[in-house]
Amino acid sequence: QVQLVESGGGLVQAGGSLRLSCAASGRTFSRYVMGWFRQAPGKEREFVAAITWSAGSTYVADSVKGRFTISRDNAKNTVYLQMNSLKPDDTAVYYCAAQTTYHSSWFEYDYWGQGTQVTVSS
């Protein structure tokens, strides 16, 4: 099993920056891809970004491309989401996810964290 714990959320003003962290434990050796999703009030869950654990290849949603950067630290078993130039529309609960079974997809995951709230004020 894989356990994921997100942290780093909070309240920021538009134009500000925030870095989210996702610490993984358990069967970390079986991870193929780590991803970030978000869900705003009254809306469906939305894909944000993903990274392969081995090579560090990334895929970022068009809505955040150029503003958000995903990265990982293998030694710390941690994935990060650096969020710059934040907008009020970025307000959501952000979830970390782990792909432990090969899906050949950036959008299918097997484990999820509890989420961390990000609020961007205008």
Side-chain angles (χ1 to χ4, degrees), residues 48-103:
V48 176
I51 186 169
T52 64
W53 193 251
S54 57
S57 301
T58 62
Y59 179 66
V60 182
D62 288 340
S63 60
V64 302
K65 190 173 297 182
R67 300 188 297 120
F68 290 12
T69 302
I70 187 170
S71 61
R72 85 275 193 265
D73 187 330
N74 188 59
K76 296 181 178 180
N77 286 314
T78 300
V79 63
Y80 304 95
L81 184 68
Q82 178 66 48
M83 305 184 294
N84 299 324
S85 301
L86 284 163
K87 306 174 181 179
D89 286 347
D90 295 320
T91 296
V93 176
Y94 283 71
Y95 297 92
C96 177
Q99 182 186 107
T100 58
T101 301
Y102 186 72
H103 294 285

Side-chain angles (χ1 to χ4, degrees), residues 33 37 45 47 50 59 99 103-109 112:
V33 181
F37 290 76
R45 186 178 61 189
F47 172 81
Y59 179 66
Q99 182 186 107
H103 294 285
S104 186
S105 171
W106 294 108
F107 311 108
E108 302 295 329
Y109 295 85
W112 297 83

Side-chain angles (χ1 to χ4, degrees), residues 16-28:
S17 298
L18 206 61
R19 188 182 74 163
L20 305 183
S21 299
C22 175
S25 61
R27 295 187 294 175
T28 56

